Amino acid sequence: MKRSTDLDDFDRKILRALQENADYSMAELGDKVGLSHTPCWRRIKRLEADGIIRGRVTLLDPRKLDLGVTVYCYVTIHNHDEESLNNFETAVQDVQEVVECYSTSGDKDYVLRVVVDSVEHYEQLLKRSLVHLPNVASVNSTFALKQVKYTTQLPL
């Protein structure tokens, strides 16, 4: 796999442009980055094959879908053996309200980002699902008051 330090200026321009708008036609993208259609297409195919471009998605506005409550859950687990960690990580994949999960250092083992429509929905999710995930000792929740910054664009 190509390291990001191996990317040239055209690769970085392509990646920055696609992060802004994945719907560019190949001609539009080529014009934007200064390449013709075919070299631009070849570079994108290489970036995909190298796993640098993992896919293309449509970003949705959670508030317009009545999913305006974001909760950060700090999870402590009982056991830290490989099987216990794997069991938790596998089970959390099935909780659709959990949109991100990170293993962390420090006094908490995982941080989850949960998106729901209401505090009441989160309370039910906590009681019915999160505390029953394998190996969970405790869950501490912090509710986001306001989103100050959000981007999916990586700093290239």
Side-chain angles (χ1 to χ4, degrees):
M1 180 186 293
K2 208 168 193 179
R3 295 187 333 253
S4 65
T5 55
D6 294 336
L7 300 175
D8 67 17
D9 287 341
F10 285 115
D11 292 335
R12 290 180 188 282
K13 286 179 185 179
I14 289 169
L15 293 172
R16 279 193 291 271
L18 289 175
Q19 286 187 112
E20 290 173 11
N21 180 2
D23 290 334
Y24 283 128
S25 70
M26 202 55 61
E28 290 171 324
L29 183 59
D31 287 344
K32 187 161 181 69
V33 302
L35 290 171
S36 64
H37 177 279
T38 301
C40 190
W41 179 83
R42 284 187 185 132
R43 284 174 179 268
I44 289 172
K45 291 300 174 194
R46 179 180 43 78
L47 292 166
E48 289 172 341
D50 289 348
I52 294 170
I53 296 176
R54 295 187 322 191
R56 294 181 179 91
V57 299
T58 299
L59 300 177
L60 306 176
D61 186 331
R63 291 174 310 235
K64 292 186 178 178
L65 295 167
D66 294 326
L67 295 170
V69 177
T70 299
V71 187
Y72 291 91
C73 305
Y74 300 91
V75 178
T76 305
I77 58 174
H78 289 290
N79 301 311
H80 295 86
D81 60 274
E82 185 175 1
E83 182 179 357
S84 297
L85 296 172
N86 288 340
N87 289 342
F88 174 84
E89 291 173 10
T90 298
V92 79
Q93 302 296 322
D94 294 330
V95 183
Q96 82 173 42
E97 293 91 345
V98 175
V99 296
E100 294 180 74
C101 174
Y102 298 93
S103 173
T104 60
S105 62
D107 61 342
K108 304 300 181 200
D109 299 304
Y110 292 93
V111 62
L112 314 177
R113 185 167 73 92
V114 175
V115 176
V116 291
D117 63 348
S118 66
V119 173
E120 294 78 16
H121 182 163
Y122 176 72
E123 180 183 16
Q124 291 305 309
L125 178 71
L126 179 65
K127 290 177 179 177
R128 293 184 181 159
S129 180
L130 298 180
V131 297
H132 299 291
L133 290 170
N135 203 30
V136 168
S138 68
V139 178
N140 293 317
S141 307
T142 300
F143 289 80
L145 299 177
K146 176 174 85 171
Q147 187 175 70
V148 176
K149 179 179 180 179
Y150 173 77
T151 184
T152 61
Q153 295 182 18
L154 298 176
L156 298 175

